[in-house]
Amino acid sequence: MSQAIVTLKKGEGRTLKAGGAWVYDNEIESVEGKYEQGDLVAVHDFDGYYMGCGYINTRSKITVRLLSRKKDTVIDEDFLEKRVRAAWEYRRQIMDTSSCRVIFGEADFLPGIVVDKFSDVLVVESLTLGIEKWKYLIVELLRKVLAEEGIQIRGVYERSDAKVRLQEGLERVKGFIGEPFDTKVEIQENGVRYIVDVEDGQKTGFFLDQKNNRAAIHSICRGKKVLDCFTHTGSFALNAGIAGAESVLGVDASFLAVEQARENARLNQLEDRVHFQCADVFELLPQLEQQGERFDVVILDPPAFTKSRNSVKNAVKGYREINLRGIKLVRDGGFLVTCSCSHFMEPELFAKTIREAAAGAHRRLRQVEFRTQSADHPILWAAEQSYYLKLYVFQVVIER
């Protein structure tokens, strides 16, 4: 660790003191001592009280990300191995680990890195300069821990191609870590088989965070006509099909995603009942309404309409519009499944937006359940960014 000390302004560091891991640039009074970007530094309160150690990058508004609050902690290989072991042990206890998120950044006390496991393949996403220096060691430690459980990792692929890396002064990169391998990986989840494209798929190739939510729709889809909007590679649509839906239409604007969804339907022998269409959902839904189409279940799982607080107002308009259109397509007594995966679309605001959409559609919503991300994406209280996925299941009834 460098000898540098970051001192907070008086009255600042409220998030840190509440259990968070971030120190913002406008909270810092001074940085004393020599350091290089990405180095480990100590963080002190205005009065010299030790608050923890973490890595620094003054290019980022999040200037320091804490790794430990204990004063005598040494950040080395042993420290990282303990973190990796704890992350795996947590998941091993609470869920099926055949495919899961193994490391989830701040929520696993390893800020800036995400690792997903798809069968015998790992996909790594490094987002910050400080963790970049440790990523290869973290991968090797994870291989070691999994091998002790009899899990041999066939290959590792890096998907550090998110735009946020540019804010850290890092280039966007993707490619193999170690020997090349077939990047089309077959997994099974909730009885559904998928081909995951870890090289060219969105994010790390597949959205593991909806795992339990996809299982939760089985009971409402049996024998029903289902519309799955923003289907990506067909996950909700295929779960509806496996559950016994009479017919399913999945829609996505990405031609590549739709082709992968069709391949997944064939893999599950569902191509006779589960079909996919490449279209803009915002354009297609009004057309379906005009044609008199109605569905027993409508699923809305859009990408994040906002990735910053500055664009929340426009995001609200998008969520309101898509929910209004979706609600109008649900038969009386049918079901709406609606999601937001944006951290900045806070739960209260999301609920308010859905309520407004229902009023505009002249429908009443009866809440069946509220759900969030699967447990391999743990929500660490005081680390607000770890809570992002909200999902409602409603029964839709015409006003009486």
Side-chain angles (χ1 to χ4, degrees):
M1 187 166 80
S2 74
Q3 298 301 308
I5 297 175
V6 173
T7 301
L8 302 180
K9 296 175 182 176
K10 187 174 182 178
E12 295 294 349
R14 286 183 291 273
T15 299
L16 202 62
K17 292 168 186 174
W22 292 354
V23 178
Y24 292 91
D25 56 359
N26 61 1
E27 297 181 302
I28 295 172
E29 180 66 41
S30 65
V31 182
E32 298 177 358
K34 293 183 179 180
Y35 68 91
E36 294 182 2
Q37 303 290 10
D39 277 355
L40 296 169
V41 298
V43 179
H44 290 184
D45 205 355
F46 74 99
D47 57 0
Y49 180 82
Y50 182 84
M51 299 189 70
C53 67
Y55 55 77
I56 187 170
N57 186 353
T58 57
R59 298 187 188 97
S60 172
K61 287 190 175 183
I62 304 169
T63 304
V64 181
R65 298 172 193 255
L66 240 59
L67 284 164
S68 175
R69 294 173 179 272
K70 294 182 178 179
K71 190 169 187 177
D72 298 324
T73 300
V74 177
I75 309 298
D76 58 8
E77 183 172 338
D78 288 342
F79 171 88
L80 294 172
E81 183 171 337
K82 288 176 182 176
R83 287 284 200 259
V84 169
R85 284 188 182 279
W88 175 249
E89 180 63 17
Y90 162 74
R91 285 155 180 86
R92 194 178 65 78
Q93 291 182 79
I94 53 94
M95 67 184 302
D96 165 30
T97 57
S98 58
S99 292
C100 66
R101 176 152 293 182
V102 185
I103 297 175
F104 186 37
E106 282 77 356
D108 284 305
F109 311 104
L110 286 169
I113 191 166
V114 167
V115 183
D116 284 344
K117 175 181 175 292
F118 298 110
S119 186
D120 57 356
V121 166
L122 298 178
V123 182
V124 180
E125 185 178 30
S126 167
L127 298 170
T128 60
L129 177 61
I131 210 70
E132 184 82 0
K133 298 181 177 184
W134 300 98
K135 71 180 179 185
Y136 296 120
L137 177 56
I138 290 171
V139 168
E140 288 310 307
L141 291 170
L142 187 51
R143 277 181 176 271
K144 173 185 173 181
V145 170
L146 293 175
E148 292 172 3
E149 298 276 337
I151 302 168
Q152 298 299 322
I153 295 301
R154 175 167 58 92
V156 182
Y157 198 83
E158 182 170 12
R159 286 297 304 269
S160 301
D161 49 353
K163 287 182 181 179
V164 70
R165 279 175 62 94
L166 302 177
Q167 299 170 19
E168 290 277 319
L170 293 168
E171 294 181 355
R172 300 165 72 182
V173 297
K174 60 185 287 191
F176 295 100
I177 296 178
E179 292 298 314
F181 58 92
D182 183 358
T183 55
K184 298 287 183 69
V185 183
E186 182 173 335
I187 69 169
Q188 184 164 326
E189 178 195 274
N190 302 331
V192 182
R193 297 165 66 192
Y194 302 92
I195 299 296
V196 176
D197 185 349
V198 302
E199 181 177 8
D200 294 318
Q202 290 184 33
K203 300 281 189 177
T204 60
F206 187 78
F207 296 109
L208 292 164
D209 52 5
Q210 293 274 28
K211 180 176 187 173
N212 296 336
N213 299 336
R214 290 188 278 261
I217 71 163
H218 285 210
S219 61
I220 62 171
C221 290
R222 194 170 298 111
K224 303 297 176 59
K225 181 179 178 182
V226 179
L227 174 65
D228 177 23
C229 301
F230 310 99
T231 192
H232 188 224
T233 56
S235 57
F236 272 110
L238 294 167
N239 273 268
I242 286 287
E246 180 183 281
S247 68
V248 185
L249 174 62
V251 182
D252 201 278
S254 166
F255 177 77
L256 175 62
V258 166
E259 284 301 300
Q260 290 175 333
R262 288 171 178 157
E263 182 181 358
N264 287 332
R266 289 190 290 270
L267 188 64
N268 290 278
Q269 300 180 329
L270 290 171
E271 63 269 36
D272 60 328
R273 290 185 290 118
V274 182
H275 303 99
F276 296 95
Q277 181 176 346
C278 186
D280 183 318
V281 171
F282 282 93
E283 294 178 358
L284 180 64
L285 296 195
Q287 294 173 14
L288 292 175
E289 183 188 351
Q290 290 173 5
Q291 293 165 11
E293 288 280 7
R294 294 295 181 270
F295 298 86
D296 299 300
V297 181
V298 171
I299 302 165
L300 304 174
D301 184 22
F305 289 158
T306 176
K307 295 184 179 181
S308 73
R309 295 196 186 281
N310 297 332
S311 57
V312 167
K313 285 186 178 180
N314 286 333
V316 167
K317 293 178 183 177
Y319 284 113
R320 187 188 298 121
E321 173 69 14
I322 205 69
N323 278 280
L324 175 84
R325 297 296 180 184
I327 289 169
K328 286 185 174 182
L329 289 171
V330 180
R331 288 195 181 106
D332 185 22
F335 295 92
L336 173 75
V337 180
T338 184
C339 317
S340 169
C341 63
S342 171
H343 159 66
F344 296 101
M345 192 70 179
E346 295 179 349
E348 297 80 7
L349 181 58
F350 186 48
K352 178 175 180 288
T353 303
I354 297 169
R355 191 179 301 115
E356 291 170 350
H362 303 293
R363 300 291 189 274
R364 302 180 75 181
L365 300 181
R366 184 153 57 180
Q367 183 176 323
V368 179
E369 60 180 323
F370 174 78
R371 307 179 65 87
T372 185
Q373 63 231 45
S374 59
D376 54 339
H377 296 62
I379 298 170
L380 180 65
W381 285 34
E384 293 181 358
Q385 68 282 356
S386 67
Y387 176 28
Y388 64 95
L389 181 61
K390 286 81 59 181
L391 178 145
Y392 282 100
V393 180
F394 293 108
Q395 186 182 45
V396 179
V397 295
I398 295 174
E399 291 185 344
R400 292 177 173 84

